[in-house]
Amino acid sequence: MARRPARPHRDDVGIAAGGLLGGLFLWSVGLYSRTPDDPMSRADQGWAVLVPLAVMACCEPLRRTRPRTALLVGTLALVADLLTRGSLATVVMFTDLVYAAVLYGSPGAARRIPWITGLITVIATVWPVAAWHKPEGLLIGAFTGLVTFTPAATGWIVRNHRDTAVAERLRAEQTTLLAEMDRAHAVTAERARMARELHDMVANHLSAIAIHSTAALSIDDPNTSRDALTVIRENSVEGLAEMRRLIGILRDGSDGSDDREPSAAPTLDGLGALVAGARTNGLDVTLTTAHGKVPAPVELAAYRIVQESLTNALKHAPEGRVTVTLTQRDGSLAIAVTSPYGGPSGPRAPGSGAGLVGMRERADLLGGSFEAGPEPSPDSGHVKHRKGGKDGKDGAIWTVRATLPLVQGEPG
């Protein structure tokens, strides 16, 4: 509930002044609510109506700041008015106090006042009829309901509409805030996805270009330079093709359509060509696959994980056997890529470490698991050594393992 104002509102002061002036006018012209011989009037002096009128007018400025106090004092003033000839202005101002007590009072008071006034109305209707046995007694109940229950019910209705409007406004503000947060999250997620795609598509080709260009510059051999330039050209062409594909996806997605992405995205059927390209770049790779049909998101993630693993092996691993194994079991696709572990003996491209982060993100987005690190080699002869130095660490291999569920669940 909103905080009540510390000072009387100027409109309330205006209501009080208007009610007081109206009551003084009625008194001056001799208009009263009851005749002097009315049994309810115990004081027939005309000036007596001015006392409850003045008290009621003093309560009006408190209708917002102290609604309960104003209603209690106003009720006493109304009772005092019943003992006089009565002023219509006093009764009208009392109905306003009842209305304001429900509208501006506490939630508890707003719930109780309509029930109390309704009970008073029922009593004022039944008791005169039962006591006097005359139908005219119903008029007392009608008048009581008009003065007490009607303004209380009106205040309750207006309060409910006001609270509903406030709640709807807050809900609209929260919806706007959530929409803005969702938009910011979507932009961040899309930027991360584009970064992963760009890294995975281009890093492999650029790494091969860097490695072979370094070899061509460091070895003064025409045949070696020619072979290196051939590999550089092949990777440049493939890298440009990948870049064109990504740019085409971005352009097609700018109008809200995303139709070309599924057909343009790589699948597990392209792992053979990926491995063949890795062999061209100098890796000794073996590929073993045992899987059926898998969902497109899983295919893309698995392809990118294998691609990045081969790129890391090309950049960081010493000479030796690299194995790629894909196995489908228990509703998931298991990926394992092993490579020699140790410092490279030849020219290698620098790495930023973003590849491992990207692979982990891809697995997490599908609710899968990912781990990468050195492991003891089952065959200590697995790691080869080149002439002139020791390339790897005996008895250790670098292993990348990922498990991707075929039914996408919540990210783990």
Side-chain angles (χ1 to χ4, degrees):
M1 185 180 68
R3 182 188 301 177
R4 298 194 189 111
R7 296 181 179 179
H9 196 276
R10 62 181 182 180
D11 292 344
D12 298 339
V13 176
I15 293 173
L20 181 61
L21 292 177
L24 291 175
F25 174 77
L26 294 177
W27 172 76
S28 64
V29 298
L31 294 178
Y32 302 100
S33 300
R34 290 176 293 277
T35 60
D37 57 349
D38 193 303
M40 293 295 294
S41 300
R42 298 292 183 239
D44 58 356
Q45 294 87 351
W47 58 267
V49 299
L50 299 180
V51 177
L53 174 66
V55 174
M56 196 73 74
C58 292
C59 292
E60 281 289 356
L62 304 178
R63 62 193 295 272
R64 297 177 198 258
T65 57
R66 296 290 185 271
R68 184 170 60 179
T69 301
L71 180 60
L72 292 176
V73 177
T75 302
L76 296 178
L78 181 65
V79 173
D81 182 74
L82 294 176
L83 301 177
T84 68
R85 296 177 65 180
S87 174
L88 181 62
T90 302
V91 176
V92 172
M93 284 192 289
F94 176 77
T95 61
D96 181 66
L97 292 180
V98 176
Y99 169 81
V102 176
L103 182 59
Y104 301 114
S106 64
R111 290 191 298 268
R112 289 191 296 269
I113 291 175
W115 285 98
I116 294 174
T117 56
L119 180 62
I120 293 174
T121 301
V122 172
I123 294 175
T125 303
V126 175
W127 180 75
V129 175
W132 301 340
H133 301 286
K134 293 181 179 181
E136 288 80 1
L138 296 175
L139 296 177
I140 298 177
F143 178 76
T144 302
L146 185 64
V147 173
T148 60
F149 179 73
T150 300
T154 304
W156 176 253
I157 294 172
V158 174
R159 184 185 181 111
N160 282 341
H161 282 291
R162 185 193 64 184
D163 294 344
T164 301
V166 171
E168 291 296 332
R169 183 168 63 251
L170 291 177
R171 187 178 294 110
E173 293 175 356
Q174 292 175 354
T175 302
T176 302
L177 180 60
L178 290 176
E180 180 63 22
M181 293 175 62
D182 289 342
R183 187 196 67 81
H185 178 72
V187 170
T188 302
E190 183 63 16
R191 291 177 62 181
R193 186 184 73 87
M194 291 173 60
R196 286 194 302 269
E197 286 294 313
L198 184 61
H199 177 274
D200 293 344
M201 287 192 302
V202 180
N204 182 48
H205 302 298
L206 293 183
S207 298
I209 291 173
I211 291 172
H212 287 279
S213 61
T214 302
L217 292 174
S218 60
I219 301 175
D220 188 12
D221 182 7
N223 293 329
T224 302
S225 299
R226 179 179 296 275
D227 294 339
L229 289 175
T230 301
V231 175
I232 290 173
R233 183 184 183 282
E234 291 176 354
N235 282 275
S236 300
V237 172
E238 293 177 3
L240 288 174
E242 293 282 0
M243 287 294 296
R244 291 192 188 98
R245 187 183 74 84
L246 179 60
I247 293 173
I249 292 174
L250 295 177
R251 285 178 175 173
D252 291 341
S254 62
D255 59 356
S257 64
D258 202 18
D259 296 336
R260 286 185 54 185
E261 184 173 2
S263 59
T267 64
L268 295 182
D269 294 336
L271 287 180
L274 180 64
V275 169
R279 290 172 181 156
T280 303
N281 291 331
L283 289 179
D284 181 10
V285 188
T286 60
L287 173 64
T288 303
T289 60
H291 63 82
K293 183 176 179 58
V294 298
V298 177
E299 273 196 300
L300 177 60
Y303 182 93
R304 293 304 188 196
I305 290 174
V306 173
Q307 183 184 45
E308 182 58 29
S309 299
L310 295 178
T311 300
N312 288 341
L314 179 66
K315 292 193 294 185
H316 305 297
E319 183 181 353
R321 178 67 58 83
V322 178
T323 63
V324 178
T325 306
L326 278 77
T327 308
Q328 181 176 338
R329 59 175 181 270
D330 298 331
S332 62
L333 181 66
I335 306 167
V337 181
T338 63
S339 60
Y341 177 56
S345 61
R348 286 294 184 262
S352 63
L356 293 178
V357 175
M359 288 189 286
R360 186 178 302 277
E361 288 178 352
R362 289 186 182 278
D364 290 343
L365 288 174
L366 295 176
S369 61
F370 174 83
E371 59 181 8
E375 294 182 358
S377 173
D379 183 5
S380 60
H382 181 71
V383 179
K384 299 182 181 179
H385 306 286
R386 290 185 179 178
K387 185 189 299 183
K390 185 175 181 179
D391 297 328
K393 297 181 180 180
D394 290 336
I397 58 174
W398 182 269
T399 303
V400 173
R401 299 185 187 277
T403 302
L404 307 178
L406 300 182
V407 179
Q408 186 174 354
E410 294 295 330

